[in-house]
Each structure stands twice: as structure tokens, then as C-alpha cells.
Amino acid sequence: MKYFSLIVLFSCVLTNTATSQEKGRQPGIIPLPQQLHWLGYTIPMKNISLSDQTAWPGLKEMVANLLPLTINHAIDVEYTLEISEEPTLGEEAYSINFSNRSSLLKAGDYNGAIWHPNPESDVDP
Amino acid sequence: MALYGIQTLNQMSTLEANDMVLYAATVSDEPRFPYRGMHLDVSRHFFSVQLIKEYLRMMARYKMNTFHWHLTDDQGWRIEIKKYPKLQEIAAWRNQTLKGHAGQRKKEFINQKYGGYYTQEEIKDVVQFASQLGIEVVPEIEMPGHASAAVAAYPELGCTGKQIEVVGEWGVFDDVFCPSEITFQFLQDVMDEVIPLFPSPYIHIGGDECPKTQWKNNQLCQELIKNNHLGDEHGLQSYFIKRMEKYINSKGKKIIGWDEILEGGLAPNATVMSWRGIEGGLAAAKQGHDVIMTPTDFCYLDYYQSRNPKEPLSIGGYLPLEKVYSYNPVPAELEAGLHHHILGTQGNVWTEYLSTPERVWYQVLPRMTAMAEVGWSAKVNKDKEDYFQRLQDQYVYWKDKGIHAADKRKELSYNIASGSGKGVTLKIIPTGGYQPILISRNGGKAAIETMPITIDTSVVLEASVEGAEAADHKTFEFEYHKAAGQNITLKFPPNDRYKAFGPGTLVDGLSGNIQSHHEDWLGFAMAEIEIGLSLNKTETVDTLALSFYHSPDQWIYAPAPEKIGFSNGQVRIHPTLVERSQKGNQHTYLYTIEARQIKQMNITIDNKTTIPKDHAGEGNLPWVFMDEIRLK
């Protein structure tokens, strides 16, 4: 089983977070994941469009689109978005985690690709 | 798989106050079933590589991982086979295409050459594209039935040797592959070109709907049956499939076949696609074979998804979104130790009536999302209301993509309880979960009403939910008469597919739909129908009316009045037929009953007859569709 871990790091502005929570509702995900826990905040993505192409070029594009956020917004808190395969669960399993991991990388380090599609990745899943 | 993480992440973003935001969440996720498929028939109608790629993208969005590509059938052979150029020159094209529904009595055709095929380079491109999306492509090469197109190109593959044409209408046809050495060589050659194009471990070999007419009259077939002790033509079909399985296995691939491959004995390593219900899947699993569940009642997305008469022409049936969502691919009858044989499920999209990409999307969306959730999400997490809520965002996505998905969210369905002597109650169900239900009575102002509603008078109710378009309003014209809500019994039940709301449908105060026999009609396919109506008290009855659906093209006939008998439970009574009227397909017989005190009335219909010559279904027993029995 190929091991894969993708970590996308970016920083987000948490001012107005409470307001956006009140305004909207959590988006509907289909099919419903086995375990899903909304964390209660949103990340603004102005001028960002996520590609619905899931091929790796599309993924790179998505990461590249996320990165400018770190530049265009004043940084209050840094968050890490991590998408991992879960080989212990099954071939098609995955997980998504957001966490405050500002110590891992700083905003200035984000230029360029930061995905690690090989077992030698130095990123701890 | 990280690709699925990206798909989830895509759906975690939404537009909020004109800004796109990503909702933060932690997710831990894995599929319920390893096989989550969508099928597309490109033979009845041919679709571009562009459409196929869009279809694959949509599948990937919903984490479906297998594309079942139905590449060959009677109406067109769609994959390039270099060794057999006539498959491209002849089998890929037909000279005419049926206009309207195949069930109609008078058939009309569009007399234009129609067809096309995918080159092997295009196939490779699609397979590669699918692979990037985490989707495996399973090709289907139909055998031994649904082979007319190939036989048209190479008549020596058939049993008659006669030159035939590629079929331009829909159905099941007699020109099947003859199990000769020429045919096996042809199919092996085809496999030699097909197998390298598809990395999937599976090749689907069809195996369904193979008429045995020509085999019965063919010397070679009969000798094969005799010499190989095959018993009959079903055994010969099994011989055919097993022989091809052996060849395909020798090339490192496994076969999948429709559940007819069970007949005459299952090939040793075959996976069964159970489509005619769950029985084939159950039988295969019990024999230790893997199964993909795709029963028509839950998985045939070419069926109608609404009873709205304005729906575009479809093959028939009725499969609303909530029914797809309700599906559990693991049959309750299957013992737990065999559950692992259920690999998963698949939505099937046959395209007889889907001639454009727009029609494909309309049939597929949103039901593909329900199929996806059936295949992926844990059974314990399934929640219809929550699903409908989540579906809202998908409509926004589809609209952004310029895709017109069927939107039945504000349509209403209903249940009626009647026939037990306790009156009539109506329960309106919001198909898409919208609440509350607004009811207008006799054209008055709509107001919220709670369900169920007791019907105890003649009334016109118009039901809707807030914001629904007029086409989605549901109107009920209740005619409250002396038999409404009274006790009714049937000696023999109606056909399981046409049982409406049970026997009480006959006395619920609502007339059957004049355009469609699917709604509010009880359908019987039997020689004799016996109905017992028992009133709570003796009533003075002046008139009796009986209504029937009449549609010869669909084998449905209103019985002749002289075939209908009446009694009061003890002796025959003789109402006088005073009027025969027709409204749409609804035929109504009106009788007078002179000063008759009625407490019990038995009605018998003698249907011991056959459909006349030169009519659709000639020689068969006609169906009787009946609805309201009115006493006044």
C-alpha cells in the first residue's frame, strides 16, 4: 500500500469568523463521510476557486490557489490542513484534519509546492 | 485515498455573502463497499468522449470508482476492433431510429443514419482520464444476446447466416451469436484487442436477455447440447459463457455477467450483476460468487423519477430519488457470513430514450448522488432528511456547471388509507423534505395543515410547499360517495407492481389518473377478478359507476360490460348500464340501481380472454386496471 500524506499549510484570518458562522450553514457533503466534525470556523477564500479535477495537476492547482491567502491576509492564526490516506482503515480511506500547527512552517515558507507524494516524506501524518 | 480527501474538501467550500469560504472540519472516512459504479449505455445512443469525461468527473465528485461502459448492443457496436473493420463500417451505424415509445402500437422511425464508435486511442484516453480520477473502467461486450449489430456486420456469427440490419428500435431480438467456432474465434479476437485497453481486472460479458429461438432451430446448437450433455438451450448459454470465461481468465481477467448467467450453471469465477431483483445476487452469493447489486427497482436510473405527466419520455417504471436513497445492497435474506460477497452497487443508465447529454444528466442527477451515498456511507449514518438538506448545495454546483438536473425537491407524494370501513385519510409527503405543507381547499387561501387529513366530504385540495412552482402543486379531487372509505376485499390481490394503496384504492374517493396507469389504479393480470364491497350500514343506492384504464398499446383493456357481474352477496343483481364514457384513457361505466337497498355488493370480472390478433401482446391475457367504484 502506497503511503501518502498531503499537508497544505496556510494562514487564515479569524476575525469575523463568528459572523460568518451565523450567516451561513455548513455545506452539504455527498456522500456523507463516516465521521465528520465541523470545527466552527471558516476560512475566507476570496478569488479562489477549487478545481473539481482531482487528478494531481488539479490538486497542485488547488494548493497553488490556496497559497495566496497567506499573502493577502493579515495573519492572526496559522492553521494546517492535512489530507492523509488511512491505510490501516482501507485502501480508499482518508482523513482531513485542520489544526493549529503554526510552529511547523511560517507563512514565508509557503512559496512552491508542498506536497509529499512519497513514502520518504518527512511529514509526520 | 487522498483523491477522495480532495473531493470532500471541494465540497467543504461554499459561497457565503459573495465570498467563497472553506468550512473547517475534521473528517475520517472510508467507503462501505469497494464497488461503487455507474453504468452508461452508449449503444442505443452514442455519446462523445467529452460527455464521457464529464460523466467521469461527476462520478469522481461523489467518490464512485467504477465506470461500466456498455459498448456493444443490438443498436450499435461502439468500440474499434482493428481485426474486424466491418464493426466500424457496418455495426456502428443504423439506418433508422424509433420515434416515441417502443410500446406504442404504430411505430414511426427517424430515417437517418445514426451511430459512431470510439477509436482505441479514444478508449485509452478515457481510461487514462478515469484512472486519474480514481475510476476503473469496466467494458461490456455483450454476448451471446444483444448481438444484432455484430451479426449485421458478419452474418456468419449468427445462426441463420442471413444478412440483417443494425436494429433501429428497442427491445430484445432473436439474432444472437451462434455458438460456433467462427463466433468463438471472433469473440476471442475481440477480447485480444479489448483486454489490453482496460487495466480493470474485469471484463463484462453481458449474458442477459438471450432469446433461444434460433438456437432451438439450429442443428449445430442442438448437436452441441446433445454431445456435451447440456440439457437444453440454457445449458448451451452456460456452455457459451463458461467457454468465454475460460479464455478471458487465461488472459488474466475475470468476468462479470448479468444475472442470467446463473441459468444453466454459473461459470466458475464469474461475478454476477443482479438486475432482475435480488434473487440472482442471493443465489450467486450462496454459491460463493461475488455480486454487484443493481436491481431495477432501486438502481435503474432510466426509469421515471416523477409521476408528473410533463416528464420527458422514458422507458417506464417509477424510481423516485428517495427510493434510490433507501436502497440497502445487502439483502436481509443473506446470512452474515456471506455479506462479503456483496461487492457493492451500481446505477444503470440505459439510453433508449436518452438521445442527448442533457437527457442523460436529467435522468442521472440527482439520483447518482443517492447511489453514491448508498455505496459509500455507513448504513447507520443514512438519514433521508439530512441527505435532502445536503443536496441543496449540489444543485448550486450543477447549476454553475450548466447542468440541468431533475429537481423534484418540491414535488409531493402521498398515501391514502381507505377500504377498512373507517373512512378515508390522506397523508401528503414532501418528496424533498420541505415543510410545512400548505393546503388550499376548494380554491381558497392556502394554509398550513397537519397530516393526515381526514376526508369526509367532496373537496378539491391543492397541496404545495412554500415557493413551489405550479407544476409541483398536487391537486386531489375527492368525490365523497357512499362507498368511500368502506370495507373492500379482493379475492386475489392485484399485481405487486400495480397495487397503488391497496384494495382501498378502489373506494378512496379519487379517480385514477387519466393519462397514466401508474397512479391510483389497481392492475390485475388474471382471468377472474372478484371484489367484495361491504358498507357499514344499509344505504339506498341509485347509481353505480366503475372506471377502467384502457390502453391497448400497453396490453391494458377495459373489460366488456357483459363480462362484469354483480351480486348482493346472496343473489345476482342486475344494474342497468346507462352510460359509457371516456376521458383520456379512463373508461367509465355508469349503472342505475332501482330503489336498491345495498349493504353488500360483490363485483366479478371475467377476464378469460386474450388480446386480439394484430394488437400489441396478441394472444396474451389482457391487463385490467381498475379504480374507483362509486355508489351514489
Side-chain angles (χ1 to χ4, degrees):
Chain A
M1 170 57 56
K2 178 182 68 176
Y3 172 74
F4 173 82
S5 177
L6 165 74
I7 292 193
V8 181
L9 291 121
F10 56 91
S11 300
C12 62
V13 180
L14 290 184
T15 51
N16 296 332
T17 298
T19 309
S20 33
Q21 281 293 83
E22 284 166 16
K23 270 193 255 174
R25 57 172 184 81
Q26 290 137 357
I29 298 175
I30 293 178
L32 185 66
Q34 307 290 339
Q35 292 179 46
L36 169 69
H37 176 62
W38 296 106
L39 297 177
Y41 60 86
T42 58
I43 298 153
M45 299 168 63
K46 200 167 185 179
N47 302 323
I48 297 295
S49 61
L50 292 185
S51 167
D52 64 340
Q53 305 259 354
T54 57
W56 290 118
L59 176 58
K60 284 184 205 170
E61 181 190 336
M62 191 198 80
V63 173
N65 283 338
L66 280 170
L67 292 177
L69 281 173
T70 64
I71 298 160
N72 295 339
H73 291 85
I75 296 169
D76 288 346
V77 181
E78 292 179 347
Y79 272 79
T80 302
L81 162 63
E82 182 177 352
I83 300 174
S84 314
E85 293 189 340
E86 295 281 353
T88 53
L89 286 178
E91 193 174 336
E92 296 184 295
Y94 71 92
S95 66
I96 297 175
N97 284 293
F98 283 83
S99 58
N100 184 339
R101 295 174 66 168
S102 57
S103 60
L104 192 61
L105 283 176
K106 299 295 179 192
D109 298 331
Y110 300 158
N111 295 327
I114 48 168
W115 52 288
H116 305 271
N118 64 66
E120 282 68 52
S121 165
D122 58 357
V123 178
D124 180 1
Chain B
M1 190 152 70
L3 287 173
Y4 294 145
I6 300 300
Q7 291 298 358
T8 299
L9 196 65
N10 279 340
Q11 292 193 40
M12 282 160 62
S13 62
T14 189
L15 199 65
E16 200 168 82
N18 295 323
D19 287 335
M20 188 66 95
V21 295
L22 183 68
Y23 273 75
T26 60
V27 178
S28 178
D29 203 7
E30 60 177 327
R32 181 180 175 200
F33 294 103
Y35 185 108
R36 302 177 305 281
M38 282 297 293
H39 153 286
L40 186 65
D41 165 15
V42 295
S43 175
R44 275 55 178 260
H45 283 101
F46 181 62
F47 297 100
S48 67
V49 167
Q50 183 190 343
L51 186 273
I52 302 295
K53 288 184 174 178
E54 286 168 7
Y55 198 78
L56 290 165
R57 269 196 211 108
M58 198 64 75
M59 286 175 60
R61 177 175 172 84
Y62 301 115
K63 304 187 178 77
M64 305 184 95
N65 66 358
T66 311
F67 174 48
H68 173 174
W69 206 356
H70 186 81
L71 286 163
T72 73
D73 215 304
D74 297 301
Q75 295 80 2
W77 182 284
R78 307 285 179 223
I79 177 170
E80 179 189 27
I81 302 296
K82 293 177 194 269
K83 189 167 183 179
Y84 294 95
K86 286 184 186 172
L87 291 176
Q88 288 74 254
E89 293 160 14
I90 296 172
W93 305 94
R94 60 180 183 252
N95 291 324
Q96 57 176 18
T97 300
L98 182 72
K99 216 157 90 175
H101 199 278
Q104 66 202 5
R105 192 173 166 192
K106 191 179 173 192
K107 288 184 176 163
E108 287 183 54
F109 292 88
I110 301 163
N111 293 310
Q112 280 176 359
K113 190 174 180 183
Y114 178 93
Y117 63 92
Y118 305 105
T119 65
Q120 293 193 2
E121 287 307 308
E122 286 173 321
I123 299 266
K124 284 180 201 168
D125 178 39
V126 167
V127 169
Q128 169 69 13
F129 183 83
S131 169
Q132 290 181 336
L133 298 171
I135 295 171
E136 193 170 280
V137 182
V138 176
E140 180 177 355
I141 307 295
E142 272 271 19
M143 64 186 79
H146 288 293
S148 302
V151 174
Y154 297 98
E156 61 272 28
L157 301 174
C159 282
T160 66
K162 287 181 187 164
Q163 180 63 57
I164 60 166
E165 288 204 350
V166 178
V167 177
E169 59 178 313
W170 324 129
V172 174
F173 303 93
D174 284 341
D175 288 293
V176 303
F177 284 130
C178 200
S180 64
E181 289 308 312
I182 293 171
T183 296
F184 284 117
Q185 188 58 55
F186 167 80
L187 288 171
Q188 288 173 10
D189 291 341
V190 167
M191 286 301 156
D192 286 347
E193 293 196 35
V194 167
I195 284 171
L197 298 172
F198 296 92
S200 167
Y202 294 109
I203 300 289
H204 199 304
I205 49 77
D208 61 317
E209 298 181 325
C210 177
K212 311 295 190 294
T213 319
Q214 293 185 351
W215 289 3
K216 280 180 181 162
N217 300 313
N218 180 272
Q219 189 183 348
L220 170 75
C221 294
Q222 294 308 311
E223 283 173 6
L224 277 171
I225 290 169
K226 189 179 166 191
N227 296 341
N228 292 284
H229 311 292
L230 302 175
D232 59 12
E233 289 75 20
H234 293 294
L236 183 55
Q237 157 134 346
S238 176
Y239 165 87
F240 194 116
I241 299 295
K242 283 175 180 167
R243 185 159 164 181
M244 284 310 299
E245 185 196 44
K246 195 173 173 186
Y247 187 77
I248 291 166
N249 285 169
S250 77
K251 302 292 176 186
K253 303 282 187 183
K254 297 181 280 187
I255 67 162
I256 302 176
W258 300 107
D259 58 41
E260 285 95 330
I261 66 170
L262 280 151
E263 294 162 6
L266 199 48
N269 306 308
T271 296
V272 171
M273 205 164 251
S274 188
W275 74 280
R276 294 176 300 176
I278 61 169
E279 293 73 19
L282 274 172
K286 285 176 181 171
Q287 292 177 38
H289 288 255
D290 286 340
V291 173
I292 295 149
M293 299 299 289
T294 179
T296 54
D297 284 352
F298 293 93
C299 302
Y300 270 46
L301 307 190
D302 54 334
Y303 282 14
Y304 282 106
Q305 51 200 315
S306 164
R307 285 177 165 148
N308 190 326
K310 293 177 182 166
E311 278 293 287
L313 181 70
S314 295
I315 192 164
Y318 175 54
L319 179 54
L321 178 63
E322 59 269 34
K323 190 170 181 189
V324 179
Y325 188 78
S326 73
Y327 183 50
N328 178 11
V330 178
E333 300 89 332
L334 189 65
E335 58 187 89
L338 298 174
H339 285 190
H340 66 280
H341 283 304
I342 307 296
L343 298 184
T345 185
Q346 174 175 287
N348 288 344
V349 184
W350 302 101
T351 59
E352 289 93 334
Y353 301 93
L354 315 181
S355 59
T356 63
E358 289 75 21
R359 282 291 291 118
V360 170
W361 288 125
Y362 186 84
Q363 290 302 117
V364 165
L365 296 174
R367 290 182 293 184
M368 176 196 275
T369 67
M371 285 303 310
E373 191 140 321
V374 166
W376 181 281
S377 303
K379 195 178 158 204
V380 290
N381 286 345
K382 278 178 71 183
D383 178 336
K384 189 176 79 174
E385 302 309 320
D386 181 59
Y387 163 72
F388 280 128
Q389 194 63 36
R390 283 180 283 120
L391 199 53
Q392 315 287 346
D393 290 310
Q394 308 311 315
Y395 277 99
V396 174
Y397 173 80
W398 298 326
K399 194 175 175 192
D400 282 350
K401 294 277 171 200
I403 290 173
H404 180 213
D407 189 352
K408 310 296 169 192
R409 290 173 293 168
K410 292 188 173 174
E411 274 196 355
L412 301 168
S413 65
Y414 65 99
N415 277 317
I416 291 189
S418 176
S420 63
K422 296 174 185 167
V424 179
T425 57
L426 167 70
K427 184 181 179 188
I428 296 166
I429 303 158
T431 307
Y434 282 86
Q435 296 277 14
I437 306 290
L438 303 170
I439 301 288
S440 157
R441 289 174 176 261
N442 296 321
K445 192 179 174 190
I448 296 170
E449 291 202 22
T450 52
M451 299 294 139
I453 298 170
T454 300
I455 306 296
D456 52 11
T457 184
S458 293
V459 63
V460 178
L461 301 180
E462 186 174 351
S464 62
V465 292
E466 188 71 39
E469 292 179 8
D472 291 336
H473 289 210
K474 188 85 189 166
T475 302
F476 303 88
E477 292 182 39
F478 282 100
E479 183 185 4
Y480 204 79
H481 50 81
K482 288 175 179 172
Q486 303 290 319
N487 277 291
I488 198 141
T489 55
L490 300 174
K491 187 171 181 184
F492 305 107
N495 182 278
D496 210 39
R497 293 172 65 190
Y498 305 109
K499 59 187 178 187
F501 302 110
T505 302
L506 295 176
V507 288
D508 62 9
L510 280 182
S511 289
N513 188 315
I514 62 170
Q515 289 163 313
S516 164
H517 66 275
H518 280 101
E519 198 164 0
D520 297 327
W521 296 93
L522 296 189
F524 303 87
M526 55 186 69
E528 191 168 293
I529 299 157
E530 286 190 41
I531 302 160
L533 173 63
S534 178
L535 307 184
N536 287 336
K537 60 178 185 182
T538 301
E539 296 272 9
T540 302
V541 174
D542 297 319
T543 63
L544 159 70
L546 304 177
S547 290
F548 300 95
Y549 194 84
H550 186 77
S551 177
D553 287 343
Q554 296 167 292
W555 304 19
I556 302 168
Y557 286 77
E562 59 271 22
K563 298 287 186 181
I564 304 172
F566 304 89
S567 81
N568 64 5
Q570 294 168 328
V571 295
R572 286 180 65 85
I573 55 177
H574 301 280
T576 306
L577 180 66
V578 292
E579 185 183 313
R580 293 177 69 169
S581 59
Q582 184 179 347
K583 189 178 174 188
N585 289 82
Q586 184 189 63
H587 288 212
T588 298
Y589 302 162
L590 180 67
Y591 301 84
T592 54
I593 304 175
E594 287 185 23
R596 179 66 68 174
Q597 298 293 299
I598 297 289
K599 177 81 168 56
Q600 176 76 30
M601 178 175 281
N602 295 346
I603 303 168
T604 58
I605 299 170
D606 178 359
N607 191 38
K608 290 190 284 290
T609 182
T610 54
I611 295 172
K613 196 169 185 301
D614 297 330
H615 288 62
E618 71 172 76
N620 286 285
L621 191 70
W623 284 80
V624 174
F625 274 74
M626 188 173 185
D627 187 23
E628 200 68 3
I629 301 171
R630 293 184 199 81
L631 291 183
K632 288 186 178 175

